[in-house]
Amino acid sequence: MTEQSARPAMTMREIRDALGHTTPGLPVATCQATEYEVSILPEGDINRQAFVITVQYRGEGRWAVTRHGSCLGTDGTWADGVKPYDRGDDWLAAHRFDLDTALKLARDAAPHVVVNGHTAADAYRRTHPTP
């Protein structure tokens, strides 16, 4: 057995470092999706931004369904103006979800978002009339 074959195999990190693909001593940058836009109005619709609901990552695998600073709860109502220091465990349990649940809640709420007395469904019908 030669001295070279006695060494353990290089890790992928060691290979990338040796090839100059990373800066030695720094971790490889990671990418993570942290926000989704949910709306029944298609991308490019002039009214879309007014009616968007956002699903935002809040850490530890939990997501919030938000709109203009309000959070959607499990009961389907929006909690307005709750400050971080007012949030107890019960409030967080009712307003933080796994991603699939958060996206479902946002999709279910999307047609009912109201701006100036009109729902997203009203806005869709105005800009996308059926023949």
Side-chain angles (χ1 to χ4, degrees), residues 1-127:
M1 185 182 231
T2 67
E3 183 180 320
Q4 188 174 16
S5 65
R7 283 186 286 160
M10 291 175 71
T11 66
M12 287 305 295
R13 174 62 186 214
E14 290 168 335
I15 294 169
R16 287 192 299 271
D17 285 346
L19 293 173
H21 294 178
T22 63
T23 303
L26 291 179
V28 175
T30 61
C31 299
Q32 178 180 4
T34 59
E35 188 169 290
Y36 292 86
E37 282 190 357
V38 180
S39 178
I40 65 167
L41 298 171
E43 188 176 1
D45 186 296
I46 193 169
N47 296 307
R48 181 181 169 91
Q49 285 306 311
F51 292 93
V52 163
I53 294 172
T54 305
V55 175
Q56 298 175 324
Y57 184 65
R58 297 296 172 90
E60 299 179 10
R62 309 305 285 168
W63 296 76
V65 180
T66 66
R67 185 163 187 286
H68 298 294
S70 298
C71 287
L72 187 64
T74 53
D75 62 358
T77 61
W78 295 92
D80 293 322
V82 177
K83 306 289 186 275
Y85 52 82
D86 289 337
R87 297 175 183 167
D89 290 341
D90 291 341
W91 190 92
L92 288 172
H95 294 87
R96 297 293 183 267
F97 315 98
D98 61 80
L99 179 58
D100 290 339
T101 302
L103 290 172
K104 181 187 182 327
L105 288 168
R107 285 183 183 116
D108 291 348
H112 310 289
V113 171
V114 177
V115 175
N116 293 331
H118 300 279
T119 66
D122 296 335
Y124 180 83
R125 288 186 197 103
R126 271 196 320 274
T127 56

